[in-house]
Amino acid sequence: MASKTKFPTSNLQKELTQGALKGLELVAFSLQKQVRKNLSRKGSGVHYKGNRTRSSREGEPPAAQTGMLRSSWTAGKRNMSKRAKNPKRPTVIYRQVPGSVSTAIYAPMLEDPKRLNRPFIAPAVARLSKGNRAGRIMSAAISASLRKANRMVL
């Protein structure tokens, strides 16, 4: 005896897209958390006159002096309707939001090993890569969306 099942392909596609988006968003938030954690460490270098805390040594993440750099990193999603071909699909972003012009200028110099060598992004990315953490986050989000899609099959 044959059975009939309705399979809503449009709903499945929507759920898988939402699952992938949720996974990317979680990876971006995880990266943001790690970058901010790196930028919250105390320095072990010289304590310059006028600075609140010790500066960092070469090879260490930059020590927070004002907190401006740490608070300038953001992750989230936004609708790119003006630029995107499909305005209904939000885009996951991870970027430095300039609190001031000076923040946007000095952040890349800190990361560059040929200039100041105060890495804070590369170690965060390495931590996400270690043990395929980003892959596990994505897999969990997509698996959850697949379970939800399976429940839709009538």
Side-chain angles (χ1 to χ4, degrees):
M1 176 189 238
S3 65
K4 288 188 174 182
T5 303
K6 287 186 177 181
F7 195 75
T9 55
S10 61
N11 289 347
L12 176 63
Q13 184 178 4
K14 180 182 174 186
E15 283 303 319
L16 288 175
T17 301
Q18 289 298 320
L21 183 64
K22 181 67 176 173
L24 287 172
E25 188 178 15
L26 290 171
V27 169
F29 281 124
S30 185
L31 184 62
Q32 174 188 346
K33 181 180 177 181
Q34 194 59 46
V35 166
R36 287 185 172 184
K37 188 176 180 180
N38 288 344
L39 292 172
S40 297
R41 296 184 180 152
K42 293 184 179 182
S44 61
V46 179
H47 187 245
Y48 293 103
K49 185 177 182 180
N51 285 357
R52 290 189 228 171
T53 60
R54 288 183 172 274
S55 294
S56 59
R57 289 186 181 163
E58 191 172 327
E60 294 178 346
Q65 299 294 336
T66 64
M68 183 186 291
L69 180 63
R70 178 181 52 231
S71 63
S72 70
W73 289 92
T74 185
K77 61 183 177 182
R78 67 177 178 181
N79 193 340
M80 304 279 283
S81 59
K82 291 180 182 174
R83 294 185 227 152
K85 291 178 183 174
N86 187 346
K88 294 183 179 182
R89 291 187 178 168
T91 304
V92 174
I93 59 169
Y94 182 72
R95 65 184 178 135
Q96 182 187 20
V97 177
S100 69
V101 176
S102 62
T103 303
I105 291 171
Y106 76 80
M109 290 186 289
L110 290 168
E111 187 78 18
D112 189 353
K114 294 178 183 174
R115 289 188 169 176
L116 296 175
N117 193 20
R118 303 294 192 272
F120 60 99
I121 300 171
V125 171
R127 185 169 166 93
L128 271 178
S129 300
K130 186 178 180 181
N132 195 24
R133 185 173 178 193
R136 290 192 322 261
I137 292 170
M138 286 294 296
S139 180
I142 291 173
S143 294
S145 69
L146 279 172
R147 284 191 299 275
K148 188 174 181 181
N150 281 336
R151 288 190 294 271
M152 288 183 193
V153 177
L154 304 172

